[in-house]
Amino acid sequence: MTKDITKVTPYNSEATKKSQVEDMFDNIAPKYDLLNHVLSMKIDVLWRNTLVKMMKKDNPQEVLDVATGTGDLAITIEKGTDAKVIGLDLSQQMLNVGVIKIKKLKLDGKISMQKGDAENLPFEDNRFDAVSVAFGVRNFENLTKGLAELRRVVKDNKSVYILEFSKVEGFLGPFYMFYFRNILPAIGRLVSKDNRAYTYLPDSVNAFPFGEKMKQILLDTGFKKVEYKKLSLGIATIYKATK
C-alpha cells in the first residue's frame, strides 16, 4: 500500500513536514548542486531544458519559479526565454547559494530570489505568465493547497509547469529502484553528512502520485487542461497544467 505523501517527512520528528523540509534543505545546501548533478549524471540539466522549451512557446515575460532551491531552473528559464524570473523557496541557505550563482552569471538584474511558502504565495491573483516547480511539489505539506496557490497566481489561459520524479515502469523498474533506494542514499549520506535527506528522496518519490493520478489531481484543483511528458524512461515527468 502506498503511503500518504503528506506523512512522508525527512526526519520523522514531531515538527511539521514544512519545518522538516526547510531544515533538510538548509542542512544540505552547500553540497546540493554537486550531489544533484552527480546523482542524476547531469540528466537533470536535460530535463530542465525540455521544460523551458515547452514554456518558451508561451512567450512569458514574468515567471515564478517555486521551490527554486539554488536557482538552476530559474537560470535556465531566464536564458531560454529572456523572461524576468522570481525564484521562491522555503530554505534561506539554498537561496543564499543561488544568489551567489546568479551574481556570478550577472543575472541579478533579471532573476530575484526570495524566501517564501509555496502554500501561501505572497503574490496577487493572475500575476504570472508562467509558473514552474522542479522537484518541489513532493515536499508540499498540503499538495492540494500548494497546487491551488500555483493556479491562483498564474494568468488565465497560461500554464503551470511541474517537473517531478516519477517511477520507472517495466523491466528496468527494479534496477532503478535498487539504485534509488540503496546506492543514491549512500552517496548522499557520504557527501552531505545528512543521514536522512537522501533516504527521504526515494521514500517521497515512492509515495508521490504520478502520471494519470497526478493529472487527475491537477484537473480536480481546477486546471482546465493537463498534459504530461515522461522523461528518461519515466524517471521524471513534466506536467503542463493550463488555467
Side-chain angles (χ1 to χ4, degrees), residues 107-160:
L107 292 175
D108 39 323
K110 295 297 295 281
I111 303 172
S112 60
M113 303 284 265
Q114 68 182 78
K115 183 172 166 61
D117 179 1
E119 295 167 44
N120 296 284
L121 293 172
F123 307 107
E124 64 272 25
D125 297 357
N126 307 303
R127 169 165 171 178
F128 297 97
D129 301 304
V131 175
S132 61
V133 191
F135 310 113
V137 291
R138 273 180 305 109
N139 301 321
F140 288 179
E141 190 166 78
N142 184 321
L143 179 60
T144 304
K145 186 178 180 186
L147 295 176
E149 276 290 271
L150 304 182
R151 180 184 177 277
R152 179 182 68 77
V153 299
V154 77
K155 292 176 181 175
D156 288 339
N157 300 310
K158 298 297 184 179
S159 300
V160 171

Side-chain angles (χ1 to χ4, degrees), residues 207-227:
F208 193 74
F210 67 98
E212 288 296 312
K213 285 184 179 178
M214 184 61 175
K215 177 179 178 178
Q216 191 57 55
I217 289 169
L218 287 161
L219 289 170
D220 291 344
T221 304
F223 290 98
K224 66 181 181 183
K225 182 184 177 186
V226 178
E227 52 197 294

